[in-house]
Amino acid sequence: MIENIETFMIYSGFTLFGVGFLCCFIALTFRFGVLCTLLGNCMLYLGTIFSRRTCEYIDEAGYIDFFNHPQDELKVKAVVIAVIVMIMLWAVRWFVHFVIEGSVYFLFPGIIKPEIKK
């Protein structure tokens, strides 16, 4: 079972790390890239260094049946879940940037937009 959890964590970690690393080179997605890279590193650490403790925690939480699949199926599942996590993070970023900051700018334009005096 530990091998299945290691496989899942390593593949999802590499997916998050790879996409985050690529996003770091695009100016508009730099912060998102850093966040994805850090999450990918956390998944890699959980899968390689703390695999026994991660397995115990997942067993105690009752999610051990999620990892009872063949290795090839588990690899695909890990990549798909990592992509879903990135899409959810992007949606949160979009919501915060456009909805929250946009409504604050719309309601209080003098606070956000500085006045230029000549």
Side-chain angles (χ1 to χ4, degrees):
M1 184 54 59
I2 291 178
E3 294 85 17
N4 289 349
I5 293 173
E6 284 178 354
T7 301
F8 181 83
M9 295 292 181
I10 288 171
Y11 270 80
S12 60
F14 274 133
T15 303
L16 285 167
F17 182 82
V19 173
F21 183 74
L22 292 176
C23 287
C24 284
F25 292 106
I26 302 171
L28 296 175
T29 61
F30 180 77
R31 284 187 269 172
F32 178 75
V34 170
L35 179 65
C36 283
T37 304
L38 291 174
L39 285 176
N41 283 336
C42 290
M43 296 292 279
L44 288 170
Y45 291 145
L46 288 174
T48 55
I49 298 172
F50 303 114
S51 59
R52 184 169 305 282
R53 296 183 102 188
T54 305
C55 184
E56 293 171 0
Y57 176 75
I58 289 172
D59 192 22
E60 290 174 5
Y63 294 114
I64 203 74
D65 293 335
F66 181 78
F67 299 98
N68 287 333
H69 296 287
Q71 290 285 334
D72 294 334
E73 189 177 321
L74 203 59
K75 292 173 186 177
V76 172
K77 187 185 279 191
V79 171
V80 167
I81 288 180
V83 169
I84 290 171
V85 166
M86 286 185 290
I87 290 171
M88 289 173 45
L89 287 174
W90 190 264
V92 168
R93 178 192 178 274
W94 180 86
F95 180 77
V96 168
H97 181 69
F98 288 112
V99 176
I100 295 176
E101 290 178 5
S103 62
V104 168
Y105 177 72
F106 180 73
L107 294 174
F108 308 106
I111 295 174
I112 303 296
K113 185 177 177 183
E115 294 181 18
I116 299 173
K117 296 180 182 179
K118 291 186 179 183

